[in-house]
């Protein structure tokens, strides 16, 4: 459909999982895409895959735990393409910690990746849009756990709940600049990162996806490509004037009781 024809899209944390799915969907819809990640192997492979399929894609190596590198990722895209039209913040740290056992170091790691990186990436991208007096869009990938979450997600929830507030604050601040900023609170999703998390922290075996799916209303986990299609819609003009919305993209209903 060409929803993102001639747009320049930066996907932070885009070398795997939901971010990689967003990059593929954005290229399919006509965008030139840049993806960031800490490891050059997966990022360069994804950029090569998209380029071989006829798209325009580049990889930018960045450790988003460093706010300066988060800002520099935007500068690198502007250097390469002259501008950035769309930003997707999809990086996420999901290591476990409760209120009682979380160390200051673990807390700071979560804030750095899940809140500080999106803040400064948005700062740089929005500054470019404002400088050019051009409209733009931002989508933050958040989590349904931002509503409260499990006890073992305390630092993750704290940081991601902050991103919910930041999304709304930034959207309000820049609505007159025609910059639309929205967020998705995604639920349990079948990604490479989730597979590693389940095996590392919960001793999960090869059948964890099937066991998890059996506990969910729709009988399956969320899929990255489905989320990616929704993100592309929010990045595109087809989502109209919507800004400041944080949408629950999940199969469980907040506040519903059995």
């Amino acid at each position: 459909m060409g929803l993102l024809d001639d747009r320049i899209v930066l996907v932070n944390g885009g070398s795997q999982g939901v971010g990689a799915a967003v990059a593929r969907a954005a290229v399919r819809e006509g965008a030139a895409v840049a993806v960031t990640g800490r490891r050059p192997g997966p990022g360069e492979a994804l950029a090569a895959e998209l380029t071989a399929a006829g798209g325009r894609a580049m990889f930018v190596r960045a450790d988003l735990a460093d706010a300066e590198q988060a800002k520099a990722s935007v500068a690198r895209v502007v250097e390469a393409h002259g501008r950035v039209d769309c930003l997707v913040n999809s990086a996420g740290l999901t290591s476990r910690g409760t209120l009682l056992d979380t160390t200051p170091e673990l807390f700071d790691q979560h804030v750095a990746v899940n809140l500080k990186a999106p803040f400064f990436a948005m700062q740089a991208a929005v500054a470019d849009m404002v400088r050019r007096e051009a409209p733009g869009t931002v989508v933050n990938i958040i989590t349904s756990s931002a509503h409260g979450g499990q006890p073992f997600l305390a630092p993750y929830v704290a940081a991601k709940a902050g991103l919910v507030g930041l999304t709304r604050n930034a959207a309000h601040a820049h609505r007159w600049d025609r910059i639309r900023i929205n967020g998705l609170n995604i639920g349990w999703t079948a990604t490479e990162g989730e597979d590693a998390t389940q095996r590392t922290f919960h001793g999960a075996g090869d059948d964890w996806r099937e066991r998890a799916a059996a506990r969910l209303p729709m009988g399956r986990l969320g899929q990255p490509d489905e989320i990616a299609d929704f993100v592309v819609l929010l990045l595109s003009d087809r989502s109209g004037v919507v800004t400041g919305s944080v949408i629950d993209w999940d199969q469980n209903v907040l506040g519903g009781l059995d």
Side-chain angles (χ1 to χ4, degrees), residues 12-163:
N12 269 329
S15 60
Q16 67 175 19
V18 170
V22 170
R24 291 186 178 100
V27 166
R28 185 185 69 231
E29 295 295 338
V33 170
V35 297
T36 71
R38 289 181 295 113
R39 297 177 296 144
E44 290 173 353
L46 177 62
E49 169 201 323
L50 296 174
T51 301
R56 295 174 295 162
M58 62 184 288
F59 170 68
V60 177
R61 188 174 185 177
D63 181 354
L64 297 175
D66 180 348
E68 291 303 316
Q69 292 189 46
K71 291 194 293 183
S73 69
V74 177
R76 179 69 183 86
V77 175
V78 173
E79 177 186 2
H81 293 283
R83 68 186 196 277
V84 59
D85 300 309
C86 309
L87 170 66
V88 179
N89 286 307
S90 64
L93 178 67
T94 59
S95 52
R96 293 350 196 183
T98 70
L99 179 65
L100 298 182
D101 64 20
T102 295
T103 63
E105 292 77 16
L106 179 61
F107 185 88
D108 288 346
Q109 290 168 14
H110 275 272
V111 170
V113 174
N114 295 325
L115 179 57
K116 195 172 182 180
F119 186 105
F120 286 101
M122 282 199 294
Q123 181 187 79
V126 169
D128 172 69
M129 297 167 189
V130 170
R131 175 184 61 81
R132 293 183 292 109
E133 297 183 344
T137 49
V138 177
V139 175
N140 292 321
I141 307 299
I142 313 178
T143 172
S144 58
S145 293
H147 293 300
Q150 297 95 326
F152 54 76
L153 293 178
Y156 175 71
V157 169
K160 287 290 195 177
L163 185 53

Side-chain angles (χ1 to χ4, degrees), residues 160-248:
K160 287 290 195 177
L163 185 53
V164 170
L166 173 61
T167 298
R168 293 182 174 129
N169 178 271
H172 175 73
H174 292 284
R175 68 199 192 281
W176 290 103
D177 296 314
R178 296 177 296 148
I179 298 170
R180 300 189 298 108
I181 303 172
N182 295 291
L184 283 186
N185 279 334
I186 63 173
W188 208 353
T189 306
T191 64
E192 303 98 314
E194 182 62 19
D195 181 66
T197 295
Q198 290 298 319
R199 294 175 187 274
T200 300
F201 295 104
H202 301 287
D206 292 342
D207 65 342
W208 76 264
R209 293 178 184 82
E210 292 75 16
R211 294 169 64 88
R215 295 157 46 195
L216 295 172
M218 306 300 168
R220 63 187 182 90
L221 280 76
Q223 300 299 311
D225 61 329
E226 299 169 335
I227 296 169
D229 287 344
F230 203 90
V231 171
V232 164
L233 177 66
L234 288 175
L235 292 175
S236 78
D237 294 339
R238 292 303 298 159
S239 54
V241 298
V242 173
T243 193
S245 291
V246 178
I247 301 162
D248 287 339

